[in-house]
Amino acid sequence: MGPAKVAVPCPNDFLQKRSKEPKLAPKKKEEDGKKLLPLSVPPRTYHPVTRTKKNFISKNALAVMTGEPKKPRHFCVDTRQGDKYLLEPSGLFPKYINKKNYGVLPKYVIQRNEEMKREEEEYQANVLEQLKKKAMKVLSEEERTDILKALKKNWEEINRAYQGLPIVTDTRYKQMHKEELELKLKQLEHDIAAIEKHKCVYIANM
């Protein structure tokens, strides 16, 4: 009964700083009497000694003498303070008109134009074919004369009936009858004038 009896820790075995951190194994300078090889990576302070027999001064001088001179760049100054900008990328310098393919249509545009032209020709051929199927019939001279005579005869009959109307149209029926005869006479006069004016008359095939 009561608390367990444990040994009291010694005052000299107190918790020290960094005592619980893992410790690395000590470096081995020699193992079994053999020396370790040095690392292959050079240190940061290493500077390799490069020796060359080239004479860069004479080489650079020869390159300057034999090289092509630099062409002067074109500038445009647009303010009195001397503000300038390159003339070539500004659009003021004729750059693209000197190209060989300037003004030449690209291949895809030519191909598209040919396709559109081909489609237009096919559409026109289809329209002509449909028109040929629905071609109008031309009246002969005899048929035209017979129709003209029939229209004039019909006009005379309606005109005779119109002349026989009473002078006083006091009822609604008389007014409607008179208006109907006037419309028929007007339509017949229009048809007769159209046939007499045009020698060739076409009739659509229904």
Side-chain angles (χ1 to χ4, degrees), residues 122-151:
E122 292 177 358
Y123 174 75
Q124 292 295 339
N126 190 13
V127 170
L128 290 176
E129 186 178 356
Q130 295 295 331
L131 290 176
K132 287 180 180 179
K133 291 180 179 179
K134 301 179 181 179
M136 296 184 179
K137 179 183 177 182
V138 182
L139 286 179
S140 62
E141 187 64 26
E142 296 179 359
E143 293 176 344
R144 176 176 170 276
T145 305
D146 294 340
I147 292 173
L148 191 59
K149 288 180 180 180
L151 289 174

Side-chain angles (χ1 to χ4, degrees), residues 28-31 34-41:
K28 295 181 180 180
K29 295 183 178 180
E30 295 183 0
E31 185 176 358
K34 295 182 180 180
K35 293 184 179 180
L36 298 176
L37 297 176
L39 298 177
S40 61
V41 180

Side-chain angles (χ1 to χ4, degrees), residues 10-182:
C10 181
N12 296 329
D13 297 338
F14 58 89
L15 183 64
Q16 298 181 2
K17 185 179 181 181
R18 301 182 185 277
S19 62
K20 292 188 177 182
E21 292 182 359
K23 296 181 179 180
L24 300 176
K27 296 182 179 180
K28 295 181 180 180
K29 295 183 178 180
E30 295 183 0
E31 185 176 358
D32 298 334
K34 295 182 180 180
K35 293 184 179 180
L36 298 176
L37 297 176
L39 298 177
S40 61
V41 180
R44 293 184 179 180
T45 58
Y46 175 74
H47 297 286
V49 179
T50 55
R51 298 179 180 179
T52 178
K53 295 182 179 180
K54 292 183 180 180
N55 190 353
F56 291 99
I57 297 176
S58 60
K59 181 181 178 181
N60 293 339
L62 184 63
V64 170
M65 288 185 291
T66 57
E68 295 182 359
K70 292 185 178 180
K71 296 182 180 180
R73 306 179 73 180
H74 300 278
F75 289 94
C76 178
V77 181
D78 57 350
T79 60
R80 62 181 181 179
Q81 283 80 13
D83 297 333
K84 62 182 179 179
Y85 55 88
L86 288 174
L87 188 62
E88 184 176 352
S90 65
L92 302 174
F93 189 75
K95 178 180 178 181
Y96 296 100
I97 60 175
N98 297 327
K99 289 187 175 181
K100 295 181 180 180
N101 57 351
Y102 177 77
V104 180
L105 287 176
K107 293 182 179 180
Y108 72 93
V109 176
I110 298 174
Q111 185 178 359
R112 185 179 300 173
N113 291 338
E114 291 178 355
E115 292 177 357
M116 292 175 63
K117 186 177 180 181
R118 192 183 310 111
E119 292 177 358
E120 183 68 21
E121 291 177 355
E122 292 177 358
Y123 174 75
Q124 292 295 339
N126 190 13
V127 170
L128 290 176
E129 186 178 356
Q130 295 295 331
L131 290 176
K132 287 180 180 179
K133 291 180 179 179
K134 301 179 181 179
M136 296 184 179
K137 179 183 177 182
V138 182
L139 286 179
S140 62
E141 187 64 26
E142 296 179 359
E143 293 176 344
R144 176 176 170 276
T145 305
D146 294 340
I147 292 173
L148 191 59
K149 288 180 180 180
L151 289 174
K152 288 182 178 181
K153 184 179 180 181
N154 194 7
W155 182 87
E156 290 176 358
E157 293 176 357
I158 296 175
N159 188 31
R160 190 179 303 110
Y162 181 78
Q163 295 295 334
L165 290 175
I167 298 175
V168 180
T169 55
D170 51 354
T171 61
R172 183 61 181 167
Y173 172 76
K174 292 180 181 180
Q175 293 177 0
M176 292 176 63
H177 186 53
K178 182 179 180 182
E179 291 176 359
E180 183 181 358
L181 293 177
E182 288 177 352

